[in-house]
Amino acid sequence: MDTRRHRNGRRDVPRGARAWTLALLSVAVAFLVTAGAAARPAADAIRRVVSQSPDAHNLSRSTARTETLWIFDADFEDLVGDNAGWVGFDQSETPHYTNYWHKDTIRINGFTHLGDSTWWCGTYGDSCWRQSRGYANCWICMLSRGFPEIADTEPGDAIRLEYDQRYAIESDYDYGYTEISTDGGASWTTVWTVDNPGFTGTPGMSQDWDSMNCNGPGHMSLDLSDCAGTDLAVRFRFESDCAYSSEDQFNNSPAMNSCLDGAWQLDNIAIYVNDTLHWIDDCENPGQNGWDTSDLGPEGQTGAYFRRTFEPDTFRDYGCGIPGSGWMMAAVDSVTGLMMDGQRAWLIGPPIEIPDVDEDLYVEWHAWYDLPLGSNNHASLDPIFYDDEACFWERTEFCQNEWLNPSTPVPAGPGWTTIGRLIEPPCGRMRFRVRLWNEEPAAPGTHAAGVFLNRVRVASVTGLDRPTSWSYSYLVRFADTFDLSAAQTYGSSVYIRDPDGLASVSFHASSDAGASWHTYPMEYWGAQEIAGVTMESWHAPPPADIVSSATVIRYYFTAMDDLGNVSNWPETAPLH
């Protein structure tokens, strides 16, 4: 006997005692049972097809006892209000990177052999950083130099590279590479890699100039004798991943100091030939001394980014109406109108002030999804919560980053989709981030139109009733099959969240185009975390009593909360 406790502490009565006479709202999901053609593996061939409402302006469910304050509503019809301030980015391949290698006096007190200056791959942060100085997420910084000074060496000469170092580089994820080239920089070979020593998966412990740790001691000596007589170049390359740096982590003193004043610092870089000092940079003289610290420019961009567009031809082949009269967001090849290999497009929305973080938010968006299975094309819409508008572009870690519809292929074809989610905001501001990307090269001919965003809106929900939110994955719905017995066996699952509690959930199916409907109880399968939100899993059995060959079956879900309010998924269907 299943009982649950409400947010207000009141306990449910046993679920089996619930009456579940519900108002009947709808989904439009059909699975088609048809006679087999010669190309199909069985005479009783079964295929399920999804169709969804094209109405972009019918996005909210009816909640009679709800006070709903819509605090944001972007329909992209013009360029004012909530429709303004959306910025598209091409994040494919290598973006621009600022090079932070420079001469500095930081962290040299007590080490007389360093003199008055060193090379430092780091910077002085600002109030948006968790630590006032060090390195940030997603860095690539290079300090490189050719060495014509040893052009007169011959094979057999002993060449040695020495340098002093200190580093605060996250273990396992961020790395400093010492690299050499024997062809003047056309190709590079790593001869030493350094990051914080520590247990696997921990940020590790930073190392000072006097370190004796074998991972990378304070004084390095590397044998480069194989480079004698070549066009030698040396490069110190630092790369950080997109989490755990001085930017987004507080210092873990006193023992670790994992990111403190990181990332990498060098001095007394010297070349010895046959044990004789041949060249040295002790960083005491002004200027670069031949070192290149140029920024790393962008490379390999696909040119696809989100922009406002109105291109009816994009949808003509699908026979679908376009809601509204104008602007939509698209990120596709401007010539073909399709996604492409290597594409990574981002769209960042304007700031949204949340009036009361103690209330729930209802987030809703309407989009055209054309992401076929096998294309390796994916999309997500992420509400990002943060506390300081001035720091939004400076910080990559926020109060919370929801992922509402990750990796969303649409196996049954393109269509309009409305998705809603109830969220408990952790802090006072939010923005939307939309991402559209290709994970791997797609099979020929599988790229499609991706995602067109038609509307996004946010409500602050107060009062007795909070909206019901639904999540429905293609992985757990009635599976495609060409076997009649399988169609009479496969079930489906849906995930639901309603802070007011759920009295009952039902599944309705029709085999006569909606002239009559059959209602089936659904099984409660427990709580499950979906994109960081705890939702309840409900299982729908197959409507085996009405499944037969050459029959189209449509179905939808309905839920009633403990206040008697009714919701459905999706949002439109014939009433009956």
Side-chain angles (χ1 to χ4, degrees), residues 47 53 301 305 359-360 437 458 472 514 526 545 548 551 560:
R47 176 162 178 78
S53 168
Q301 268 65 50
Y305 60 93
E359 300 296 340
D360 290 331
W437 72 96
V458 180
Y472 187 49
D545 56 321
S548 61
T551 302
M560 183 173 67

Side-chain angles (χ1 to χ4, degrees), residues 341-568:
D341 287 353
Q343 175 178 327
R344 288 184 178 272
W346 285 20
L347 175 70
I348 304 292
I352 304 170
E353 295 288 336
I354 301 173
D356 186 348
V357 297
D358 292 331
E359 300 296 340
D360 290 331
L361 294 181
Y362 189 61
V363 177
E364 216 168 38
W365 69 99
H366 184 262
W368 172 275
Y369 284 89
D370 192 5
L371 303 163
L373 288 174
S375 68
N376 292 317
N377 297 332
H378 306 275
S380 72
L381 186 143
D382 315 322
I384 299 175
F385 294 91
Y386 59 102
D387 50 11
D388 188 346
E389 178 60 33
C391 296
F392 178 81
W393 298 105
E394 301 292 331
R395 187 175 295 163
T396 53
E397 181 179 282
F398 304 96
C399 301
Q400 185 172 326
N401 180 9
E402 298 276 359
W403 191 329
L404 292 189
N405 53 321
S407 187
T408 316
V410 181
W416 290 105
T417 300
T418 298
I419 300 176
R421 174 66 57 79
L422 197 65
I423 298 174
E424 298 176 8
C427 50
R429 293 176 177 85
M430 68 176 293
R431 286 177 184 253
F432 284 106
R433 179 179 65 185
V434 183
R435 295 182 290 174
L436 180 63
W437 72 96
N438 174 244
E439 191 66 36
E440 299 172 357
T446 58
H447 278 312
V451 170
F452 289 76
L453 190 64
N454 179 251
R455 192 175 190 181
V456 178
R457 65 180 185 172
V458 180
S460 176
V461 182
T462 62
L464 296 177
D465 173 54
R466 275 69 61 94
T468 303
S469 56
W470 299 78
S471 180
Y472 187 49
S473 169
Y474 74 94
L475 295 173
V476 292
R477 70 185 179 200
F478 294 97
D480 288 346
T481 178
F482 292 98
D483 181 81
L484 180 59
S485 62
Q488 294 171 328
T489 304
Y490 287 139
S492 180
S493 292
V494 64
Y495 306 106
I496 312 173
R497 178 173 182 260
D498 192 316
D500 297 309
L502 289 170
S504 58
V505 180
S506 58
F507 158 58
H508 314 276
S510 173
S511 60
D512 53 10
S516 62
W517 292 88
H518 301 257
T519 300
Y520 305 87
M522 294 182 64
E523 302 174 37
Y524 177 58
W525 278 15
Q528 183 168 340
E529 190 163 300
I530 306 294
V533 176
T534 299
M535 306 188 77
E536 295 184 353
S537 176
W538 294 79
H539 179 71
D545 56 321
I546 60 173
V547 171
S548 61
S549 299
T551 302
V552 175
I553 298 178
R554 295 173 173 84
Y555 68 86
Y556 64 90
F557 304 104
T558 303
M560 183 173 67
D561 69 13
D562 287 332
L563 300 176
N565 295 288
V566 174
S567 179
N568 62 282

